[in-house]
Amino acid sequence: MSTSTDHGRPDPEATSPAANSEGRPVSDRGDTVCVIGAGASGLTAIKNLREHGFGVDCYERETGVGGAWNWRHDRSPVYASTHLISSKPFTQFPDFPMPDSWPDYPHHGQVLSYFERYADHFDLRSHIWFGTEVIRVQPVEGDRWDVTTRSTGGYGPERTARYAAVVIANGHNWSPKLPRYEGLEQFRGEIMHASSYKDPAQLRGKRVLVVGAGNTGCDIAVEAAQQASRCWHSTRRGYWYAPKYVLGRPADQVNDTLLALRVPLRVRQWLYHWTLRLTVGDLTRFGLPKPDHRVYETHPIANSQLVYYVGHGAIGPVPDVARFHPYAVELADGREIDPEVVVFATGYLPRFEFLDASVFSDSAGAGRPTLWLNAFTPGHPTLAVAGLLQPDSGLFTLSHWQTVLFARLLQARRDRPERATAFAQRVRERAGERYSGPVKDSSRHWFEVGHADYLRAIQRALVELEGK
């Protein structure tokens, strides 16, 4: 019997039959690894697992690669003007550089084309089942996993295949985190989450309130300053707004130089404050609230234009929202404003809807798994999460090394089980470790990591696994 489809991919249904606990047929895929998602982290997982000798079946609910960076996808948070906020050298995969001719901060269309070239260069598409969503992932005897899929949208029959291991790479910037306010349901204006914002034409000529001071909230406020008849920007606290360039270089490259020199955190904080004093001075004179934290204690906001438009009166800084009225929004200081459109740039929450929360020791179901290296969960040595990180620089390099580590762990389980057992013990002992300095306690910072600290931790794990 043939075990390939017309597209050259192994057919999960054309392998050894088995049955799950409910008696339903299961296709046993042997030593094959399942990867969920074909975005940045999923693609590098496929490549690294294949390079380490493993068969891979990847399931992607959309019709193309790219994940969040593919603006055609229903769940993509990308809008027309989206650019990288980390520069090329700190964003690209270590074994596949972005073109030298590209700008320091590529446009989202260029990032998507980069993923498409990456997939073609390493021949990854032949291992991806497009238009297929994963609806259940269940652990079974022998540290194996039953993965149930169906066509995206719920059409067609469900199919279950049994895998030796699973990599979850479904992203964490697609399920909107929506705030709750008194009177919100009675508000007569338009309300949208930033995930629904695609083009500044949605704001043109309207009175707009943007809620949230993350990178997306600042971007949308800047676009509203240029297109809306009026723009208010509501934040709960003051923030530090980093310019994208310092000393003529991308800011993250300057910061990385300091990290490479092992400059202490307090010295780097002082240098940052000194740079801001030289460039924009005291932000409170623009009406922005004074930050209640030190630099690097919240996720970096890289925006060179917000202060410019605040200084020109095109953005009105306002405090947190207290409540909504049918035709007005009441602020925490008692003022009322009358926006026609409210954009909640309030972030996202991770969701693993196909997996029981207990697998991640997430008994409350809050979406915050207990992991070591933000990738490995105690008690399930053949399960890994890729890309569940909020780094102070680019993500793709970190996802690359995460999946290299997982591929070598699977090799160790086969060839040197004593080292894999020692690794599992470290997962149990170190789950929940942080890889950043002190940060604000909020869901936005659940997965915050300093990229230099994190890469050193991955390197130590690789050395320990290999017994060097």
Side-chain angles (χ1 to χ4, degrees), residues 79-352:
Y79 39 94
S81 64
T82 300
H83 287 71
L84 287 174
I85 59 171
S86 55
S87 64
K88 278 190 307 183
F90 295 100
T91 303
Q92 62 198 10
F93 293 115
D95 53 359
F96 195 76
M98 292 183 176
D100 291 339
S101 61
W102 282 11
D104 291 328
Y105 298 98
H107 182 261
H108 71 80
Q110 293 173 304
V111 178
L112 176 57
S113 72
Y114 173 71
F115 291 140
E116 291 171 337
R117 295 177 190 179
Y118 182 87
D120 292 338
H121 179 78
F122 293 107
D123 189 25
L124 306 182
R125 295 181 196 269
S126 60
H127 305 285
I128 304 172
W129 294 79
F130 292 104
T132 304
E133 61 181 348
V134 174
I135 57 175
R136 270 190 308 281
V137 176
Q138 298 170 299
V140 294
E141 187 177 358
D143 291 325
R144 293 168 65 79
W145 299 87
D146 282 356
V147 178
T148 302
T149 62
R150 67 185 176 197
S151 296
T152 301
Y155 303 104
E158 295 182 4
R159 302 175 179 179
T160 302
R162 184 161 294 171
Y163 290 95
V166 172
V167 177
I168 298 174
N170 67 327
H172 60 99
N173 287 322
W174 57 268
S175 181
K177 177 186 176 185
L178 289 166
R180 296 180 181 179
Y181 290 107
E182 179 186 343
L184 182 60
E185 295 79 8
Q186 286 73 47
F187 181 64
R188 302 295 180 86
E190 180 184 356
I191 293 174
M192 72 170 76
H193 187 269
S195 59
S196 300
Y197 175 78
K198 299 300 176 185
D199 190 272
Q202 294 171 264
L203 312 177
R204 190 167 296 148
K206 299 177 181 179
R207 300 185 303 277
V208 176
L209 168 64
V210 180
V211 180
N215 285 290
T216 298
C218 291
D219 282 351
I220 296 175
V222 166
E223 295 199 346
Q226 300 169 72
Q227 299 290 336
S229 63
R230 188 166 184 182
C231 172
W232 298 276
H233 189 203
S234 169
T235 62
R236 286 180 298 175
R237 61 170 63 95
Y239 290 89
W240 304 100
Y241 300 98
K244 280 197 164 183
Y245 286 91
V246 175
L247 304 175
R249 294 176 57 199
D252 59 353
Q253 296 181 24
V254 175
N255 185 54
D256 194 71
T257 300
L258 298 176
L259 290 171
L261 295 172
R262 301 294 182 99
V263 175
L265 174 61
R266 287 302 174 91
V267 177
R268 287 189 289 118
Q269 288 173 327
W270 180 86
L271 288 170
Y272 190 113
H273 284 285
W274 178 77
T275 301
L276 287 182
R277 283 198 299 270
L278 286 179
T279 53
V280 297
D282 182 5
L283 293 177
T284 60
R285 73 185 184 88
F286 296 103
L288 292 164
K290 183 179 180 179
D292 61 355
H293 57 279
R294 293 177 180 272
V295 173
Y296 303 122
E297 290 181 0
T298 59
H299 188 70
I301 299 173
N303 194 300
S304 301
Q305 296 180 289
L306 183 86
V307 175
Y308 173 89
Y309 281 105
V310 169
H312 285 70
I315 297 175
V318 296
D320 197 7
V321 171
R323 60 186 58 82
F324 281 77
H325 300 289
Y327 296 99
V329 175
E330 184 178 338
L331 303 172
D333 61 3
R335 285 184 291 164
E336 289 190 2
I337 56 177
D338 59 342
E340 299 169 88
V341 179
V342 177
V343 182
F344 286 123
T346 45
Y348 300 84
L349 289 173
R351 287 183 63 190
F352 309 99

Side-chain angles (χ1 to χ4, degrees), residues 237 239 265 269 292-300 368 390-392 433-450 453:
R237 61 170 63 95
Y239 290 89
L265 174 61
Q269 288 173 327
D292 61 355
H293 57 279
R294 293 177 180 272
V295 173
Y296 303 122
E297 290 181 0
T298 59
H299 188 70
R368 185 179 186 177
Q390 187 84 337
D392 59 356
E433 279 185 352
R434 296 196 66 94
Y435 308 95
S436 68
V439 293
K440 283 289 183 179
D441 184 16
S442 69
S443 60
R444 184 184 180 208
H445 299 105
W446 280 355
F447 312 115
E448 190 76 17
V449 299
D453 290 339

Side-chain angles (χ1 to χ4, degrees), residues 320-401:
D320 197 7
V321 171
R323 60 186 58 82
F324 281 77
H325 300 289
Y327 296 99
V329 175
E330 184 178 338
L331 303 172
D333 61 3
R335 285 184 291 164
E336 289 190 2
I337 56 177
D338 59 342
E340 299 169 88
V341 179
V342 177
V343 182
F344 286 123
T346 45
Y348 300 84
L349 289 173
R351 287 183 63 190
F352 309 99
E353 49 201 352
F354 44 76
L355 195 67
D356 189 277
S358 62
V359 172
F360 281 150
S361 303
D362 179 23
S363 57
R368 185 179 186 177
T370 302
L371 305 171
W372 181 43
L373 295 170
N374 288 45
F376 303 99
T377 183
H380 296 286
T382 55
L383 177 69
V385 185
L388 192 61
L389 301 163
Q390 187 84 337
D392 59 356
S393 190
L395 172 66
F396 309 157
T397 294
L398 277 58
S399 294
H400 167 87
W401 288 111

Side-chain angles (χ1 to χ4, degrees), residues 38-94:
S41 299
L43 290 175
T44 197
I46 300 170
K47 182 196 77 75
N48 287 322
L49 287 163
R50 292 290 299 163
E51 287 183 350
H52 284 77
F54 294 98
V56 179
D57 291 340
C58 175
Y59 296 109
E60 168 55 55
R61 71 185 308 276
E62 302 288 354
T63 57
V65 301
W69 287 96
N70 193 326
W71 61 271
R72 301 179 185 89
H73 292 177
D74 290 342
R75 292 178 171 179
S76 172
V78 162
Y79 39 94
S81 64
T82 300
H83 287 71
L84 287 174
I85 59 171
S86 55
S87 64
K88 278 190 307 183
F90 295 100
T91 303
Q92 62 198 10
F93 293 115

